[in-house]
Amino acid sequence: MHQFGPDPWICGLVRIQPQKIRNPFRVTKLYPKPVSSKRTNGQLTKQRSFLFFFPVVSSLPSSISPIFALVASAPICTVSSPLSMADVDEEDYVYFGTPIEREEEISSRKRKAIAEPGTLRSLPPWKQEVTDEEGRRRFHGAFTGGYSAGYYNTVGSKEGWTPQTFTSSRKNRAEVKKQNIYSFLDEDDLKDIGGNTLETSMQYDTFGFTAAEFARKKAEEEQKKRPSAIPGPAPDEIVLPASSSIGMRLLMKMGWRQGHSIKDSNAESLSEIRREARKAFMALSSNKAEPDISEKDADGTDEFPDMSIDVLRNSENTPVYVLNPKQDMYGLGYDPFKHAPEFRDSKRLRESKSRETKRSKVHMGSLLSSNSKKYAPGFGIGALEELDAEDEDIYASGFDYEQTEVELEPSKAVSSSSGDRMLQLEHKKRGSLLGFKLASDSDYKLERFYPPAIPSNFRPIHKFGAPLDQTLKNYNSVPPPDAPPPENTNLRLLIEGSAAMVARCGKSIEDLYMEKSKTNPLFLFLKSGAEGYDYYVRKLWENKQKFVDNLKPAEKLTAENRGRILGERPLASTTSRVNDVSVKAREVINTQSSHGDTVTKPISLADLPDSAIKQFKHDPAKQERFELFLKEKYQGGLRASGTRSSTSTSTMSEADRARERLDFEAAAEAIEKGKQTIQISAPSTDHTKDLLGFGEDRFVSSTLIENSETKLEETNVVYPKREQFEWRPSPILCKRFDLIDPYMGKPPPVPRPRSKMDSLIFLPEIFKSSNKEDAKSPIGNSLEASKSGLKEAEAEPSASEADVAPTSPKNVERPVDLYKAIFSDDSDDDEADAGPALNQALNPVKSSEGANKTLNRLVAGDFLESLGKELGLEVPPGSIPGPSLNANTVSLPEEQKSCKGGDDRDNTPFPKVKETKSKDYGSTVDSSREKKRSHSKHHRRRSRTPDLDPDSGSDSDSHRRHRSRSKKRHDRRDRSRSRDSESSDEAYMNRKERRKKHHSRHHEHKKKDYGDKYSDKKRRS
Amino acid sequence: MASSGWELAVNESGVLKGHEGAVLAVRFNGDGNYCLTCGKDRTLRLWNPHRGIHIKTYKSHAREVRDVHVTTDNAKLVSCGGDRQLFYWDVSSGRVIRKFRGHDSEVNSVKFNEYNAVVVSAGYDRSVRAFDCRSQSTEPIQIIDTFQDSVMSVHLTKTEIIAGCVDGTVRTFDIRMGRELVDQLGHPVNCISLSNDANCVLASCLDSTLRLLDRSTGELLQEYKGHKCKSYKMDCCLTNTDAHVVSGSEDGFIYFWDLVDASIVSSFRAHSSVVTSVSYHPKDVCMLTSSVDGTIKVWRK
């Protein structure tokens, strides 16, 4: 019997019931078990064996089978072949593996568990025990808190199956987690393993094994080609111990041999194999070997059992795994026949048919005849399979062959692929889908819109009937004669107002007025020839002119114009134009029709009186520069702003140049103004008049004006007057208003030293602005009130002393005290706060006319010169042309900045800070005192508001308030920007002087007035 | 001249009584459905003037209340007066949310800006101050102290702060440009009012003259005379159509002028005493007047 000696590894037989291995492909699990020694037939053989489970799962998807076919295809080279089952006696079986446990043994626990419920059922619920089918306590209820399966009723471990977050930081590096086989075993598994370690075995690695086997075979083939000393197949096989996978070994034992496809004599399995083969054939229908097979296959079934073996022998290996090459144009994974698998087959058939056409010619005839047109020729199925009713059909899903038969007419079938194309072409030609017909008549008609017919006389250029420009030009070109305003002020105002309206709103308003004039005699002036008509026409023209001027930049908006409108500073071409900015700004701001500013009327210098031009006689060099300046300014009527800087000589400092330029500007402006100029430029007492007048206009009170009777011709300041200053909104304010901060990113304003010279130097500007206002304002003479106020102011000097005397008895002092006032110590300031001493220190300046005069004299004389020398500045020794007050406000943004800057004066780099300061203080105190007066008035006005309490209006109360107020103001005054403090000190003092007188006088008046009111009110209440 | 076809609110349609003592200001809310009044009795009152209903009284001021303004969403009020603080109220609850300090003396006028984020007030302390409603700070975010006298009235546009001052100026602070425009009128300005198109500003001066200025050029467009305004703080305004100018008078009269030709279209006795405030409905022909006599009157066409 055992000739070779029973090697327990190889010579054992597995006793397996045939039923179970009927389908060897259905191996689902191989479960290794260490097998303990077994006694069979009294022999004790220690064997290591395996227990195989072959659960039969008949309904497994067929796709698995190719894989196992591959497994089976691996050749096994063992020496076990000599053993044959027939030889072995039943008694001599050697058993491999653990015998399957008897049912009773296995399920002892289980039975117990099953049985127990029966017994437990009698128990109360809380004593019942829940067990799993293995009989283990697996209950983990919320209340028992006891047993749990796995990790809290999940998988076996804390980490198992729970999603993990990967965190790794620089400090806390995440460790690389190594998984091993143990991490996948639960405790039961580990218990089963015992002390043994788990290893991987090639035996079960079917694919790896196959690969190795393949490599070996390759080598063997090479060996064959090579001449070798030992003939025959590879000697390696003899030498090397061959190992084969367990599945293969099993197959071998079942009679399978290498290179054969697995085949059973059973017809069922045969058909299954055939099906596989057929599928493979379908895919690899181009294979040359197949026709033979199909031929043979198609011959008949009578010799089937033998045939099958033959066939299988012939086919070396079953074509195993077929990759379906992608041949269509669909996207990956897209299955157009997903929901209609029938069509897939038909499609495939059509394709394969076209491929088969050649081949099928061979046996087409027979097929066609034999199948009696049941199947279309060239069907892949027909090639492999004959008609067999009992054979299970892959097309059994209900595909109707009749349909395809219709499609594939024999005539067409000859070139069906071209026929397909033909069909498509036909569809295209018809423009309709298959199965659809084109309608003979359609409702849809393409509607066409034809362009309108262009009239023959149409010209593609539009002409405006009355061009706007021309009307405007008319206004420009033909100015109506200047008419004197009518005597009647009301009429004049009315005319002006309506002219403005008409100019603004157009002719329609005029018509409206015309209508009105029928009923209202006031509007009679609209009729030509009536009183005021000329004036109206003139005014209308002026207004329109203005309107046009305003329009112009919009029409031609160059960058420069725009910049000017926006108040941008033009790019300085040379650095010498330091103050050009301010000049520009003033030009923009001050003149109402500033847009026409670039074009100025050419002034021939010759026409001007000599005195006008020779304003700087005392300084020939300067005079020369001035004339040059004039020439450049009016060069060809167009102001050559770029060349202006050339006037300055290199010897002058920047500041000097700037100042001089301002002087020149002012003088030139004055020249333009004609006769007024002469007065202004004359450095005489007229200055004071102007200054006084100006000082007046700022503080005119309505009552003053109403009461005044006299008139002042020259220095009337016209209201309303517009000035413009820089103002810095806080960023947060801009944010809250949802606006962009205009000063965003810009540094805070640079504090500028407020030297005395600054204020003096910029005096000339003032005239310009105020004079311009005079000339330009359409309601020039309208405000008699203001005029009268000013006039009164002028008339005052004589009366002032009498007026002032009672209020400030100590104020008559020597004019020399001016110096003291200007250069007084800080201690004076303190005194100012202190009270009584204040008057003493300041009164001389503020109230005495003598001081005023002295000041003027000094201004004219050498005082400034000496002061200028002291300050290190060049001062014109003679006249200071036309001082006035508002220039600095207008022309000096930087100046303002410096004022805004607060206490920056202390930081001034200039040497004479102290003087300036002290003097400022002097004037400030002065002004505050002055303010006090004006405020007392306003306060009364305020307290006269209806909320007036009888006691709050009392004089004592208000006095007290004013005192504190004046103090407060005094402090604030230094910090805050105020036009007054910027303006020239002299002028300021003059003004104060005036103011004081005014108020002292009207104080009385008002008091009385209010007194009446009070009593009135009291009576009423 | 009343034949021009304009509808004027000259017929008395109702009287709102409740204030004890003088009513210092009356203001329509944004849509004209409600009005707010304030007065000497240190209260603010919310009314429905069309139905004559007194809705709510706001008490917290310690001194007289001079001006009040309501947000566009009607959720918040701001009021000012003699106690040198601005009171920022919640309309529905009637509580003071915040008090803005900073003014050194009485506050004459107060306004919200367009976004209700800033309150701008004008005070007797010669300053205009802006306060931030959105922050907790009660300190002003901007102080404008270029005025030389008591600031009587303040108005806000989207980009500008306009204030009228007793120093005779109407000052426009253009936040966008960073410029201050000073229009000197020569007479103390009592009250300013903007035309509905915001192109003109109407300034009531203490020389009993209203002056209409073109805001873009600063030009004086018209003057309106006839009423009496010399010492009291009185309001003026333009009608909803901008066709007429309205102002009270110290003798208790109301005056209507034609905007263009400055003729007195209508004048009638409205109150027994000084008319302190007039407010015109933003859309309808309806006007409110308040007076020292403690009444608020509703006028319709």
Side-chain angles (χ1 to χ4, degrees):
Chain A
M1 207 169 143
H2 305 288
Q3 298 103 317
F4 299 99
D7 183 350
W9 282 102
I10 49 167
C11 66
L13 284 175
V14 181
R15 181 171 173 249
I16 303 169
Q17 289 182 351
Q19 280 298 322
K20 299 238 166 161
I21 53 161
R22 199 192 60 165
N23 189 347
F25 309 113
R26 309 301 195 211
V27 177
T28 53
K29 194 180 178 188
L30 300 174
Y31 198 73
K33 282 270 185 187
V35 181
S36 56
S37 60
K38 269 277 163 188
R39 190 184 292 265
T40 47
N41 282 347
Q43 286 180 331
L44 190 73
T45 44
K46 182 142 174 113
Q47 289 172 330
R48 191 175 179 81
S49 72
F50 298 89
L51 183 66
F52 292 84
F53 293 99
F54 292 103
V56 178
V57 187
S58 58
S59 63
L60 265 183
S62 60
S63 63
I64 288 176
S65 53
I67 298 167
F68 286 95
L70 189 72
V71 171
S73 72
I76 301 172
C77 201
T78 59
V79 274
S80 62
S81 48
L83 277 177
S84 80
M85 282 162 88
D87 300 341
V88 182
D89 187 64
E90 185 79 14
E91 289 300 306
D92 293 326
Y93 280 166
V94 174
Y95 289 96
F96 276 168
T98 337
I100 294 168
E101 269 185 315
R102 296 180 63 87
E103 190 143 326
E104 307 90 59
E105 289 166 10
I106 289 171
S107 57
S108 63
R109 275 183 301 178
K110 194 191 271 182
R111 275 192 298 113
K112 187 191 163 203
I114 294 164
E116 262 178 3
T119 57
L120 286 170
R121 211 162 284 155
S122 58
L123 291 171
W126 61 88
K127 280 186 180 172
Q128 290 177 8
E129 208 175 53
V130 182
T131 54
D132 64 359
E133 54 184 359
E134 296 280 309
R136 290 179 297 194
R137 283 181 75 190
R138 278 292 155 119
F139 185 74
H140 43 274
F143 302 104
T144 61
Y147 308 99
S148 67
Y151 185 77
Y152 292 112
N153 201 24
T154 60
V155 285
S157 75
K158 194 177 180 181
E159 275 74 32
W161 297 112
T162 43
Q164 295 180 353
T165 50
F166 176 82
T167 48
S168 174
S169 64
R170 206 174 291 164
K171 282 180 184 170
N172 240 346
R173 287 286 179 196
E175 287 177 15
V176 182
K177 256 198 175 171
K178 275 192 178 166
Q179 289 179 326
N180 57 11
I181 188 85
Y182 292 105
S183 46
F184 296 100
L185 296 174
D186 63 5
E187 50 189 14
D188 287 347
D189 295 326
L190 288 171
K191 215 182 284 170
D192 289 343
I193 288 167
N196 300 329
T197 52
L198 280 173
E199 283 168 352
T200 52
S201 164
M202 272 290 276
Q203 273 194 313
Y204 299 100
D205 178 17
T206 45
F207 294 107
F209 179 81
T210 321
E213 187 65 20
F214 180 73
R216 199 182 57 75
K217 276 197 82 180
K218 262 276 175 80
E220 191 185 335
E221 273 172 28
E222 277 180 33
Q223 196 88 32
K224 274 178 186 168
K225 287 171 194 164
R226 222 175 359 179
S228 174
I230 308 165
D236 291 354
E237 288 171 14
I238 306 162
V239 178
L240 291 173
S243 68
S244 56
S245 73
I246 204 85
M248 201 173 289
R249 268 158 60 187
L250 281 171
L251 282 169
M252 300 279 275
K253 295 225 165 82
M254 287 163 63
W256 175 80
R257 292 297 172 267
Q258 280 252 304
H260 291 195
S261 53
I262 295 162
K263 187 175 159 75
D264 201 358
S265 54
N266 199 320
E268 274 181 45
S269 63
L270 177 77
S271 72
E272 211 167 334
I273 291 163
R274 285 168 120 207
R275 224 176 295 143
E276 297 297 329
R278 186 171 58 225
K279 274 182 187 162
F281 166 74
M282 296 273 222
L284 301 175
S285 53
S286 58
N287 195 335
K288 271 289 167 193
E290 275 169 11
D292 304 337
I293 301 168
S294 60
E295 264 180 282
K296 283 193 177 169
D297 228 20
D299 284 345
T301 49
D302 45 345
E303 40 177 7
F304 181 69
D306 308 292
M307 247 306 284
S308 67
I309 296 162
D310 290 347
V311 165
L312 289 172
R313 245 171 228 156
N314 287 348
S315 66
E316 283 215 334
N317 250 341
T318 326
V320 225
Y321 189 65
V322 180
L323 282 169
N324 226 342
K326 183 168 156 50
Q327 288 168 320
D328 51 19
M329 309 288 270
Y330 304 118
L332 266 186
Y334 175 72
D335 185 6
F337 304 110
K338 191 180 173 189
H339 298 296
E342 314 86 59
F343 291 100
R344 175 190 291 131
D345 291 321
S346 78
K347 171 101 184 297
R348 198 196 294 145
L349 287 175
R350 216 178 298 148
E351 280 168 3
S352 62
K353 176 191 64 198
S354 67
R355 260 185 263 122
E356 277 172 16
T357 39
K358 274 185 215 162
R359 182 158 47 97
S360 62
K361 268 176 190 168
V362 183
H363 44 247
M364 186 177 283
S366 64
L367 273 172
L368 281 174
S369 59
S370 67
N371 289 340
S372 67
K373 284 178 91 183
K374 187 81 195 263
Y375 283 74
F379 263 32
I381 187 77
L384 260 182
E385 198 139 33
E386 80 274 76
L387 283 168
D388 201 336
E390 93 254 292
D391 196 10
E392 73 173 347
D393 196 352
I394 50 160
Y395 303 121
S397 51
F399 187 82
D400 192 358
Y401 292 96
E402 303 298 331
Q403 280 184 348
T404 45
E405 193 189 9
V406 174
E407 282 291 326
L408 302 168
E409 293 281 306
S411 58
K412 275 186 182 174
V414 181
S415 60
S416 67
S417 65
S418 65
D420 261 4
R421 233 173 285 136
M422 286 282 279
L423 205 65
Q424 285 171 357
L425 270 177
E426 229 176 322
H427 289 169
K428 265 184 200 164
K429 228 185 281 171
R430 279 185 293 179
S432 66
L433 293 167
L434 183 62
F436 288 89
K437 261 173 125 186
L438 267 181
S440 53
D441 57 334
S442 101
D443 295 333
Y444 177 71
K445 271 181 187 168
L446 196 67
E447 211 172 340
R448 294 196 70 111
F449 298 95
Y450 293 98
I454 300 166
S456 55
N457 57 350
F458 176 74
R459 289 179 61 213
I461 301 160
H462 183 66
K463 255 190 172 179
F464 291 95
L468 192 63
D469 287 332
Q470 282 189 0
T471 55
L472 296 178
K473 269 176 204 159
N474 286 339
Y475 285 120
N476 285 340
S477 56
V478 197
D482 204 348
E487 300 300 314
N488 187 349
T489 325
N490 283 337
L491 182 61
R492 187 171 52 76
L493 274 177
L494 182 62
I495 287 169
E496 278 162 8
S498 46
M501 287 303 283
V502 168
R504 196 168 279 257
C505 305
K507 191 78 178 154
S508 56
I509 289 286
E510 198 177 28
D511 296 338
L512 194 82
Y513 286 141
M514 282 290 200
E515 285 288 312
K516 276 190 178 176
S517 70
K518 283 169 192 164
T519 56
N520 194 344
L522 268 178
F523 284 94
L524 274 177
F525 64 86
L526 285 168
K527 296 201 171 84
S528 62
E531 184 203 359
Y533 177 75
D534 290 340
Y535 185 67
Y536 168 73
V537 169
R538 173 70 185 178
K539 275 290 158 197
L540 188 62
W541 177 78
E542 276 176 11
N543 278 317
K544 277 188 177 165
Q545 195 84 347
K546 215 178 287 170
F547 192 59
V548 169
D549 284 345
N550 285 337
L551 272 183
K552 261 178 189 167
E555 290 165 359
K556 273 189 192 175
L557 201 63
T558 64
E560 263 181 47
N561 285 340
R562 197 169 143 275
R564 197 175 293 115
I565 292 163
L566 292 174
E568 285 172 2
R569 46 180 63 188
L571 289 173
S573 51
T574 56
T575 48
S576 64
R577 297 169 59 201
V578 172
N579 278 303
D580 204 38
V581 176
S582 59
V583 173
K584 278 279 174 201
R586 174 184 43 74
E587 283 169 3
V588 171
I589 295 148
N590 254 350
T591 60
Q592 285 189 350
S593 58
S594 60
H595 308 301
D597 206 32
T598 42
V599 182
T600 51
K601 281 177 220 150
I603 294 181
S604 57
L605 296 176
D607 292 349
L608 291 167
D610 196 45
S611 60
I613 299 171
K614 304 278 181 208
Q615 288 194 38
F616 306 97
K617 274 177 260 179
H618 53 273
D619 187 350
K622 194 174 181 183
Q623 177 63 32
E624 196 179 320
R625 283 200 297 274
F626 178 61
E627 277 168 26
L628 190 61
F629 168 81
L630 278 182
K631 243 182 243 167
E632 281 179 3
K633 185 174 164 89
Y634 300 115
Q635 209 168 40
L638 194 68
R639 191 175 290 187
S641 59
T643 58
R644 270 190 268 179
S645 57
S646 63
T647 47
S648 51
T649 54
S650 54
T651 53
M652 295 170 78
S653 74
E654 293 290 307
D656 287 340
R657 244 177 270 159
R659 277 168 213 146
E660 198 181 74
R661 253 190 44 71
L662 286 171
D663 285 5
F664 289 164
E665 285 279 1
E669 202 77 33
I671 288 167
E672 273 183 276
K673 290 278 145 29
K675 66 167 186 189
Q676 278 182 336
T677 327
I678 298 154
Q679 286 177 341
I680 289 156
S681 58
S684 65
T685 51
D686 283 292
H687 276 235
T688 53
K689 263 188 203 169
D690 280 338
L691 292 174
L692 292 172
F694 186 76
E696 213 47 60
D697 67 46
R698 305 201 79 170
F699 297 98
V700 184
S701 77
S702 58
T703 41
L704 263 183
I705 290 153
E706 279 166 22
N707 293 335
S708 62
E709 302 283 76
T710 51
K711 281 201 167 190
L712 186 71
E713 286 299 330
E714 286 169 6
T715 55
N716 57 346
V717 176
V718 177
Y719 295 115
K721 192 166 75 178
R722 174 161 276 204
E723 289 171 314
Q724 199 169 7
F725 305 99
E726 194 179 63
W727 173 67
R728 234 181 143 94
S730 69
I732 182 77
L733 187 75
C734 299
K735 197 179 165 190
R736 289 286 177 260
F737 271 80
D738 206 9
L739 298 170
I740 296 163
D741 189 353
Y743 295 96
M744 189 168 48
K746 290 179 193 165
V750 185
R752 220 186 115 135
R754 289 193 62 254
S755 75
K756 202 168 148 49
M757 286 316 293
D758 282 333
S759 48
L760 288 176
I761 275 148
F762 292 109
L763 283 182
E765 287 305 315
I766 298 145
F767 269 123
K768 190 176 164 189
S769 63
S770 60
N771 287 332
K772 250 186 192 166
E773 289 293 334
D774 291 359
K776 287 237 165 77
S777 168
I779 45 168
N781 305 316
S782 66
L783 293 173
E784 285 133 341
S786 66
K787 268 189 266 165
S788 59
L790 295 167
K791 188 184 168 189
E792 191 192 38
E794 218 225 354
E796 248 178 336
S798 56
S800 64
E801 262 151 301
D803 267 353
V804 168
T807 49
S808 53
K810 291 179 217 160
N811 63 355
V812 185
E813 298 257 356
R814 295 167 300 151
V816 190
D817 274 350
L818 173 66
Y819 280 104
K820 197 184 168 191
I822 294 170
F823 301 113
S824 61
D825 285 345
D826 288 335
S827 60
D828 282 347
D829 283 337
D830 299 336
E831 281 172 3
D833 280 345
L838 172 84
N839 275 352
Q840 232 174 349
L842 299 170
N843 276 342
V845 185
K846 122 183 137 172
S847 55
S848 90
E849 187 66 17
N852 204 2
K853 291 247 169 77
T854 314
L855 175 68
N856 290 329
R857 239 189 354 259
L858 283 169
V859 169
D862 57 356
F863 161 65
L864 282 179
E865 208 171 6
S866 64
L867 181 67
K869 273 174 195 161
E870 215 172 3
L871 293 172
L873 292 164
E874 190 188 339
V875 184
S879 66
I880 306 289
S884 93
L885 284 174
N886 58 350
N888 40 7
T889 57
V890 173
S891 61
L892 267 189
E894 284 162 24
E895 180 87 356
Q896 289 155 23
K897 274 184 212 165
S898 75
C899 300
K900 259 201 240 172
D903 288 323
D904 42 44
R905 266 174 272 166
D906 293 336
N907 309 330
T908 53
F910 277 24
K912 291 297 172 187
V913 175
K914 202 184 164 196
E915 276 88 345
T916 318
K917 198 176 181 181
S918 60
K919 194 179 170 219
D920 270 338
Y921 272 112
S923 63
T924 317
V925 174
D926 195 354
S927 74
S928 75
R929 285 179 53 77
E930 196 52 51
K931 261 301 161 206
K932 177 177 154 188
R933 288 189 176 279
S934 71
H935 258 280
S936 70
K937 189 185 73 184
H938 293 314
H939 177 71
R940 219 172 297 117
R941 190 173 285 141
R942 177 189 64 91
S943 58
R944 284 290 295 169
T945 52
D947 55 321
L948 182 73
D949 287 314
D951 51 352
S952 77
S954 77
D955 261 19
S956 65
D957 185 51
S958 68
H959 272 308
R960 195 157 30 82
R961 290 185 69 157
H962 292 156
R963 270 197 60 74
S964 63
R965 191 179 298 284
S966 74
K967 258 192 199 173
K968 235 185 277 168
R969 292 237 173 96
H970 168 63
D971 292 336
R972 200 186 305 134
R973 193 130 190 111
D974 274 341
R975 274 181 286 117
S976 70
R977 167 168 71 115
S978 103
R979 313 278 182 285
D980 301 352
S981 56
E982 294 160 18
S983 60
S984 108
D985 292 326
E986 287 85 355
Y988 193 74
M989 277 182 271
N990 282 335
R991 193 181 348 143
K992 287 303 153 198
E993 190 87 349
R994 294 281 161 187
R995 294 279 300 146
K996 199 187 144 209
K997 274 173 237 157
H998 264 286
H999 286 291
S1000 58
R1001 219 179 68 180
H1002 290 285
H1003 195 68
E1004 304 292 317
H1005 168 78
K1006 287 209 86 172
K1007 222 178 208 169
K1008 209 178 68 183
D1009 201 23
Y1010 289 150
D1012 291 346
K1013 259 183 200 150
Y1014 271 156
S1015 55
D1016 251 340
K1017 192 163 165 58
K1018 271 183 187 166
R1019 237 180 291 131
R1020 220 180 298 156
S1021 59
Chain B
M1 290 304 288
S3 63
S4 51
W6 298 110
E7 305 271 13
L8 292 175
V10 294
N11 300 316
E12 183 177 329
S13 80
V15 181
L16 308 175
K17 281 181 181 166
H19 272 288
E20 299 159 14
V23 185
L24 297 182
V26 57
R27 305 274 181 257
F28 266 114
N29 77 331
D31 56 8
N33 290 333
Y34 299 94
C35 76
L36 283 151
T37 58
C38 55
K40 274 291 288 174
D41 61 354
R42 300 178 290 188
T43 61
L44 297 164
R45 279 162 205 265
L46 174 64
W47 312 78
N48 184 332
H50 309 297
R51 295 165 66 193
I53 301 167
H54 174 219
I55 299 165
K56 204 172 175 69
T57 305
Y58 300 89
K59 290 180 184 170
S60 208
H61 274 280
R63 300 187 68 173
E64 85 278 5
V65 191
R66 297 194 177 182
D67 196 9
V68 61
H69 195 223
V70 63
T71 56
T72 47
D73 58 358
N74 296 329
K76 303 285 187 332
L77 295 179
V78 66
S79 63
C80 64
D83 40 10
R84 301 194 246 182
Q85 291 177 344
L86 307 182
F87 284 59
Y88 184 51
W89 304 79
D90 183 56
V91 170
S92 52
S93 70
R95 294 206 185 109
V96 177
I97 299 167
R98 215 167 293 147
K99 294 177 187 175
F100 297 115
R101 299 158 218 281
H103 276 288
D104 296 334
S105 58
E106 296 91 328
V107 189
N108 289 324
S109 180
V110 69
K111 287 280 182 297
F112 277 110
N113 78 333
E114 190 199 7
Y115 306 107
N116 309 318
V118 177
V119 163
V120 178
S121 62
Y124 181 67
D125 59 352
R126 308 195 297 174
S127 72
V128 163
R129 285 163 201 254
F131 298 89
D132 189 358
C133 295
R134 289 187 182 165
S135 78
Q136 291 296 321
S137 166
T138 58
E139 297 301 311
I141 54 172
Q142 173 103 46
I143 302 171
I144 305 168
D145 52 3
T146 60
F147 299 95
Q148 290 168 2
D149 212 322
S150 170
V151 190
M152 295 305 287
S153 178
V154 68
H155 265 275
L156 303 182
T157 66
K158 280 183 183 179
T159 61
E160 292 147 314
I161 299 170
I162 306 159
C165 179
V166 180
D167 65 4
T169 59
V170 173
R171 291 171 198 250
T172 306
F173 300 90
D174 193 328
I175 300 166
R176 192 167 46 183
M177 296 270 287
R179 305 295 296 177
E180 174 188 357
L181 286 172
V182 181
D183 289 316
Q184 295 195 352
L185 297 178
H187 303 279
V189 177
N190 194 1
C191 171
I192 58 166
S193 175
L194 286 179
S195 63
N196 291 324
D197 61 0
N199 286 332
C200 300
V201 61
L202 181 71
S204 165
C205 297
L206 283 183
D207 60 344
S208 298
T209 308
L210 303 177
R211 290 181 169 84
L212 187 69
L213 300 181
D214 185 335
R215 283 187 53 216
S216 56
T217 62
E219 202 178 340
L220 180 67
L221 296 177
Q222 197 53 272
E223 291 186 332
Y224 309 94
K225 289 181 181 172
H227 66 305
K228 193 180 168 202
C229 173
K230 291 189 174 172
S231 52
Y232 292 97
K233 181 183 188 306
M234 290 195 305
D235 284 350
C236 59
C237 65
L238 283 96
T239 58
N240 58 330
T241 53
D242 275 350
H244 296 95
V245 170
V246 194
S247 174
S249 175
E250 287 181 10
D251 49 15
F253 273 71
I254 297 284
Y255 283 81
F256 282 90
W257 289 270
D258 189 279
L259 181 88
V260 177
D261 55 20
S263 57
I264 295 172
V265 177
S266 174
S267 72
F268 52 90
R269 187 168 194 90
H271 291 275
S272 60
S273 181
V274 179
V275 180
T276 52
S277 182
V278 289
S279 180
Y280 219 91
H281 193 283
K283 297 197 178 61
D284 298 341
V285 182
C286 180
M287 180 178 69
L288 297 174
T289 58
S290 68
S291 167
V292 172
D293 63 14
T295 57
I296 300 121
K297 289 191 177 175
V298 188
W299 305 86
R300 292 177 193 282
K301 58 185 173 186

